[in-house]
């Protein structure tokens, strides 16, 4: 029978791409999202791609009464993919309690209700931020967890521990923790993509908005790092590749194939790319120069980090497929679609 999967944060950037891949793999999908950082129109984009409208309920996961009512109404949920979280690093420094409440209470509420309703497993959306500044690259899952540099990063670490402690206590659930590197790009149909509210904090939306003339100039934060061209290095992973890893992970977990009750995987390409290299890739795919200037370092930035994805490659049988060029081109196509629709 088709698996019934709850996707929290399913109208968000990674969530929406995962909903599409889940539906296309035959799963029945239900979404909970409070729309604090996304738009219900995303559901229409999903429907245009897959032909299926997922069940969608708008409420906040910190609201336990609403969550209980949801599980009572929708029986037989097999598994959860938990994306819903506040995710702006800078904002988390300004509003730590908001981040701790949103990100931690949401997970606690879900975990508490899972055994009650027979939900067998949870895939958790974590981040390479848990590694801090790595001692060496590429970085694998056994690398030490470093002191978090922001409340946002701390919520990812704490949530990983909460899941492990709960399962260690004997809770009858399983979990797969996925540590993402830097997700970028959009669905090839350009029906869904990243839609940051206000001024983008992340590199690729800032680049595509600058290419579109919405922003005047990209600031490259530092060219004096200990890297070949002096700019920071990241592992940019295609969002659809990332979404596909979630489908594999949840099917593995629900199919009883997990080797341990909690498994952890890095999701990256294994390639480090500098900010200036990414700018050049954008210039190539868009066919025009990108207005950019070098400015000072951004506080808290990691100098260089990229994944060793061997465990995901061999154990999950998942590998990032898309090239960086195609991925940046998909982000540019999405930006152009937003212009055609008059959204931006
Ligand atoms: N950058 C610029 N100019 C910009 C924006 C970014 O030069 O306008 C640079 C940054 O300095 C960094 C690189 O582009 O070197 C990538 O920056 P992002 O903000 O896109 O991504 P980060 O790697 O800083 O952050 C991401 C996620 C966080 C997560 C973090 C973990 O967005 O949620 O990885 O390291 F916590």
């Amino acid at each position: 029978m088709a698996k019934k999967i709850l996707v929290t944060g399913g109208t968000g950037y990674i969530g929406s791409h995962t909903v599409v891949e889940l539906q296309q793999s035959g799963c029945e999908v239900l979404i909970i999202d409070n729309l604090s950082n996304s738009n219900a129109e995303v559901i229409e984009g999903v429907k245009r791609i897959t032909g299926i409208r997922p069940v969608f309920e708008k409420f906040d996961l910190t609201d336990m009464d609403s969550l209980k009512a949801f599980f009572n109404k929708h029986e037989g949920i097999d598994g959860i993919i938990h994306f819903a979280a506040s995710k702006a690093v800078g904002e988390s420094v300004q509003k730590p309690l908001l981040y701790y409440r949103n990100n931690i209470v949401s997970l606690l509420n879900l975990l508490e209700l899972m055994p009650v309703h027979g939900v067998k497993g949870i895939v958790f959306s974590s981040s390479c931020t848990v590694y801090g500044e790595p001692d060496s690259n590429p970085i694998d899952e056994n690398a030490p967890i470093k002191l978090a540099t922001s409340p946002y990063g701390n919520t990812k670490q704490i949530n990983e521990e909460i899941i492990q402690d709960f399962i260690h206590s004997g809770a009858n659930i399983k979990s797969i923790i996925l540590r993402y590197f830097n997700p970028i790009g959009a669905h090839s149909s350009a029906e869904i993509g990243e839609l940051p509210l206000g001024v983008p904090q992340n590199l690729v939306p800032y680049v595509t908005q600058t290419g579109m003339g919405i922003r005047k100039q990209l600031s490259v934060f530092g060219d004096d790092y200990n890297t070949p061209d002096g700019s920071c290095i990241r592992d940019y992973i295609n969002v659809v590749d990332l979404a596909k890893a979630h489908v594999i992970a949840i099917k593995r977990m629900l199919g009883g194939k997990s080797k341990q009750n909690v498994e952890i995987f890095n999701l990256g390409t294994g390639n480090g790319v500098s900010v200036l290299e990414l700018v050049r890739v954008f210039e190539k795919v868009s066919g025009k120069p990108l207005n950019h200037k070098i400015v000072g370092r951004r506080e808290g930035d990691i100098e260089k980090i990229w994944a060793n994805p061997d465990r995901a490659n061999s154990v999950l049988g998942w590998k990032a497929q898309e090239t960086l060029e195609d991925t940046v081109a998909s982000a540019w196509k999405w930006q152009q679609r937003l212009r055609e629709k008059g959204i931006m």
Side-chain angles (χ1 to χ4, degrees), residues 60-62 67 82 84-85 100-111:
D60 197 304
L61 288 168
T62 60
L67 190 57
H82 181 41
Y100 286 114
R101 178 179 300 281
N102 282 352
N103 294 4
I104 292 174
V105 176
S106 299
L107 177 69
L108 294 178
N109 287 348
L110 287 169
L111 291 178

Side-chain angles (χ1 to χ4, degrees), residues 87 89 127-129 152 182 201-203 206 218-221 232 234 236 275 298 301-302:
K87 63 164 190 177
V89 177
S127 165
C128 67
T129 193
Y152 159 77
N182 286 55
Q201 304 298 312
N202 295 114
L203 179 63
Y206 208 105
L218 169 76
S219 297
V220 173
F221 298 136
C232 290
R234 297 287 183 274
Y236 295 97
V275 175
R298 180 170 73 176
D301 260 342
I302 286 167

